[in-house]
Amino acid sequence: MRANFARLLRPIMLGVSVCAGLAPAVAAAQDMSQASDVTRFVLDSGMLIIAGIAGLVAIAGFTLKDIGLARTQNAPQVCLRAIGGLGVCVFAFWAVGYNLLFGIEEGGFLGPFESWALMDDNPGDTGRASGAHWFFHMTLAALGAVIVSSAISERVRLWPFLFFTALWAGLIYPIGASWVWGGGYFAEEWSFRDAGGAAAVHLSAGAAALAAIIVIGPRSGRFGHGPSRPQVSTALPLSAFGALLSAAALIVVILGLLGPISSVEAAITAGAVAANGLVASAGGALAAMFLTQTVYRRTGLVSAITGIVAGVISIAADPVSPALWQAAMIGAIGGVIVTVTPPFLDRLHLDDAGFVIAGHCFCGGWGTIVAFWMTERIWLPGQLLGTAAIAGFSFLMSLLIWTALKYTIGVRSAPLETLHPPEGQKPAAANG
């Protein structure tokens, strides 16, 4: 009898002892203390490195998207421009771009033309490793260059593009971004806000791409008499995979731009940003799918591909403040923008090979302006002025550079029909 009673009592006593052992841990979890300075330094530096790697993943994703949209014989040049552009951006941003961005005086227009160097003598003053900060922002400069490359795919020569890329990463992008993130004029005097790069990266690169498209012209055979003739894509599933990679990577990039993540409040904010980014991305893709189904009686894969990225871009300027339904609405309007814009560009004979103008320029501008709707901390006149300033500066500078290149060394590659000449003839050199 006693043996049976002891056998029944043993599980109860075991449960009591386990609960007693867990009690201190639960109490400690509820009473979370602040992280030490060393822990914060490591976490914040590590987050910048992770976000920088995400920037490289976004570059790879956009490259995959362009490969899928391009014709087979042009795919190697798409990769070559991405790799070469990244290499040029590294040196240009090192030589002058970083200090132009972050060395600007408060309320100023232009930072110093000085090269960057590692400065970790007093790590407690900055709270993160200087190399991690440079690495992350260098990938954003390279991301903008790849966005421009996407728009002018299949007809631009390699070396003129790399020359433009050097000026982009060393001059155009850092000056525009300094007005937002470096404490420049529009951020200080007009309260212009762009937390996740909707204007500083995407709008700026989209405006530069528009200038390039105007100067370089359309692809051979792209427009004829009557309706435009679409190009034959070789691997749209590859484009879809690249777009998914890019959308996910851009959410991590936004997290890196929000700053330190080593506190409970910052972690909660990061979770909200991730949720809003995903909801906006889904809203952009679904809106594009529903719209193409309604208008064309079929679901458009290309619109869905661009919509999933457009949703993230549309929410990037302020990904913290919106409720989930607001994020979904903002992303959905981005999906509508990338669906209805390309036909109008076709009518103007503006050949945007990567759907950059709709997805980056227009959605970046839309997201920057609509940010005032979600919080009283953002002032609409400041958003309008800052958006116009960044877009105008990037467009005019790029237009000047591409025009100069066109009338000096030339910018167009060999036409597609010369890449595979009749048997016995020597093929023409393509793309630079």
Side-chain angles (χ1 to χ4, degrees):
M1 185 71 175
R2 291 181 179 178
N4 293 334
F5 181 75
R7 192 179 298 110
L8 292 173
L9 189 61
R10 190 178 295 119
I12 299 174
M13 296 302 295
L14 180 61
V16 171
S17 63
V18 170
C19 292
L22 289 176
V26 174
Q30 293 175 346
D31 185 22
M32 289 183 292
S33 60
Q34 294 295 325
S36 66
D37 292 341
V38 173
T39 302
R40 287 198 297 269
F41 184 89
V42 171
L43 289 176
D44 294 340
S45 299
M47 183 62 210
L48 286 173
I49 294 173
I50 293 172
I53 294 173
L56 296 177
V57 172
I59 290 172
F62 284 129
T63 304
L64 287 174
K65 184 201 71 162
D66 293 341
I67 291 172
L69 293 174
R71 288 165 284 190
T72 304
Q73 54 267 48
N74 288 321
Q77 280 295 321
V78 172
C79 299
L80 189 58
R81 284 199 306 274
I83 295 172
L86 176 60
V88 169
C89 284
V90 169
F91 287 97
F93 201 68
W94 171 21
V96 65
Y98 183 87
N99 280 326
L100 272 177
L101 205 169
F102 292 105
I104 188 172
E105 294 183 359
E106 185 175 312
F109 280 97
L110 191 64
F113 287 82
E114 298 174 354
S115 63
W116 170 84
L118 289 165
M119 293 179 291
D120 292 311
D121 296 335
N122 298 304
D125 295 340
T126 58
R128 39 63 178 168
S130 61
H133 195 254
W134 176 87
F135 168 66
F136 170 54
H137 282 278
M138 182 281 301
T139 63
L140 298 185
L143 180 61
V146 170
I147 291 171
V148 177
S149 173
S150 176
I152 53 178
S153 182
E154 298 193 88
R155 77 268 201 190
V156 66
R157 293 173 59 201
L158 174 63
W159 293 106
F161 169 75
L162 294 183
F163 183 85
F164 169 80
T165 298
L167 295 178
W168 163 263
L171 187 68
I172 301 174
Y173 163 73
I175 290 177
S178 72
W179 300 339
V180 187
W181 299 329
Y185 175 75
F186 295 100
E188 293 298 320
E189 301 298 330
W190 290 88
S191 300
F192 180 58
R193 297 293 180 264
D194 176 20
V201 178
H202 299 285
L203 172 63
S204 181
L210 177 60
I213 289 170
I214 292 173
V215 174
I216 297 173
R219 287 165 286 182
S220 178
R222 178 68 173 88
F223 300 109
H225 297 289
S228 65
R229 291 174 289 180
Q231 301 298 302
V232 178
S233 300
T234 59
L236 285 181
L238 190 62
S239 294
F241 178 66
L244 286 169
L245 273 182
S246 299
L250 287 177
I251 293 175
V252 182
V253 167
I254 293 172
L255 293 176
L257 284 167
L258 290 180
I261 198 173
S262 54
S263 66
V264 175
E265 294 79 8
I268 293 173
T269 298
V273 169
N276 282 333
L278 186 60
V279 168
S281 181
L286 291 176
M289 292 169 64
F290 286 137
L291 186 59
T292 54
Q293 179 66 47
T294 302
V295 175
Y296 302 108
R297 298 294 185 267
R298 59 180 176 83
T299 304
L301 176 57
V302 174
S303 294
I305 289 171
T306 55
I308 197 170
V309 177
V312 181
I313 296 172
S314 298
I315 200 67
D318 182 12
V320 179
S321 302
L324 288 176
W325 69 269
Q326 290 175 311
M329 182 179 295
I330 292 171
I333 294 178
V336 172
I337 291 173
V338 297
T339 304
V340 302
T341 300
F344 289 99
L345 295 178
D346 286 348
R347 291 182 182 180
L348 298 175
H349 286 194
L350 295 175
D351 184 12
D352 182 4
F355 303 94
V356 167
I357 308 305
H360 295 270
C361 185
F362 291 168
C363 287
W366 151 248
T368 306
I369 294 172
V370 79
F372 87 96
W373 173 44
M374 298 167 287
T375 174
E376 296 179 354
R377 294 179 287 107
I378 296 179
W379 191 39
L380 178 58
Q383 294 300 103
L384 292 171
L385 184 62
T387 299
I390 289 177
F393 173 75
S394 181
F395 176 81
L396 292 176
M397 288 293 296
S398 300
L399 187 68
L400 177 64
I401 294 168
W402 281 112
T403 302
L405 290 172
K406 179 178 180 179
Y407 291 105
T408 52
I409 63 176
V411 294
R412 285 193 67 94
S413 63
L416 181 65
E417 54 268 20
T418 66
L419 297 179
H420 295 287
E423 185 178 354
Q425 294 186 14
K426 184 178 179 181
N431 294 322

